[in-house]
Amino acid sequence: MTAKVPKEIRRKEILDAAMRCFEKKGYHASTIDDISREAGITKGGIYWHFESKREIFMAILEEHKRQVRSMWEKTGLGAMTGSTMFETGLSFLSKNLTNEWISNFIGEIEIEALRSEKGRQDYLAIHEENRDRIKDLLKKAYEAGKIREIDFESAATIQILMVEGLSRLYRMSDKELDYTSVWKVFSDIFMNGVMKK
């Protein structure tokens, strides 16, 4: 008799298999049959854990968001300085760019956002959540007297766009972009400006 696989382990196996399928064929071209074969379980086994391919995609998305939240929580929102902004941003970039699975998944999120209204809404929800987190960090840095008052929401959006742009360019350049140097210059300009004092 075969030992029963715990539900959480089986779900993770399915999500990992789905991500491998999405990497190979893209989200839209991948089927539940593909995921079933990749996971080595029946379609019924897939449907026991997930109602649809969309639900699988959303579970992968939630795990990615959980990892991002965890990273920001470790930062210490009131401790922002130029160096912590640089280090936190660089850590986020490194995790997203050097982890093939995450990098490819982010690409799939972007493609899905262009293909469907639901995908667009999911993408914007991620953007909003990340923007609000960075905005809170900037506000707390202001309240602690570390930065001057600015439009915190716009400043947070600029940071997100920089991360997204660097991520996209890194993937498109066959990973030859020196994102560390670019992020360092951006952090310096963002925190200190370019004008002589």
Side-chain angles (χ1 to χ4, degrees):
M1 185 169 156
T2 307
K4 185 176 177 185
V5 177
K7 181 178 180 179
E8 284 310 306
I9 291 174
R10 180 64 79 203
R11 279 179 61 90
K12 184 173 184 330
E13 290 173 351
I14 293 168
L15 295 177
D16 289 345
M19 197 60 240
R20 289 192 299 272
C21 290
F22 298 161
E23 286 175 20
K24 290 178 204 167
K25 298 175 76 172
Y27 169 74
H28 275 281
S30 296
T31 65
I32 292 293
D33 285 326
D34 295 328
I35 296 167
S36 171
R37 276 191 298 277
E38 186 71 29
I41 63 173
T42 65
K43 273 174 71 172
I46 300 284
Y47 285 121
W48 177 259
H49 295 279
F50 299 96
E51 291 183 10
S52 65
K53 181 175 74 167
R54 178 80 190 163
E55 187 178 338
I56 293 170
F57 185 82
M58 294 309 296
I60 295 170
L61 181 59
E62 282 306 313
E63 174 57 21
H64 174 67
K65 286 165 65 176
R66 187 195 64 71
Q67 290 175 10
V68 170
R69 278 193 295 271
S70 174
M71 187 207 71
W72 280 107
E73 284 163 8
K74 290 176 186 171
T75 302
L77 293 179
M80 184 177 174
T81 64
S83 63
T84 56
M85 188 192 120
F86 167 72
E87 290 159 11
T88 302
L90 186 59
S91 173
F92 180 78
L93 277 169
S94 295
K95 284 180 184 170
N96 282 282
L97 298 181
T98 59
N99 183 318
E100 197 74 24
W101 189 90
I102 293 174
S103 182
N104 289 333
F105 180 63
I106 290 170
E108 281 301 314
I109 293 171
E110 292 170 349
I111 291 167
E112 183 63 12
L114 295 171
R115 285 188 171 151
S116 74
E117 178 59 25
K118 181 70 176 111
R120 186 179 74 82
Q121 290 172 4
D122 293 340
Y123 179 86
L124 291 174
I126 293 169
H127 170 84
E128 187 175 310
E129 185 177 327
N130 289 334
R131 183 203 63 212
D132 289 348
R133 193 167 288 112
I134 296 169
K135 183 172 78 171
D136 287 346
L137 185 146
L138 292 169
K139 276 185 185 175
K140 289 182 179 182
Y142 167 71
E143 289 163 1
K146 295 181 179 184
I147 64 171
R148 65 183 172 85
E149 186 171 14
I150 55 174
D151 176 347
F152 301 119
E153 188 167 311
S154 293
T157 299
I158 290 166
Q159 285 191 17
I160 291 169
L161 293 174
M162 189 65 186
V163 169
E164 289 177 351
L166 277 175
S167 299
R168 199 170 296 117
L169 187 56
Y170 182 77
R171 289 194 306 270
M172 297 292 181
S173 70
D174 290 330
K175 303 175 184 172
E176 293 185 13
L177 176 71
D178 182 2
Y179 65 86
T180 301
S181 295
V182 176
W183 184 256
K184 185 173 186 176
V185 171
F186 167 72
S187 299
D188 179 52
I189 290 170
F190 187 86
M191 295 304 289
N192 302 310
V194 295
M195 302 300 292
K196 287 186 177 179
K197 295 190 168 62

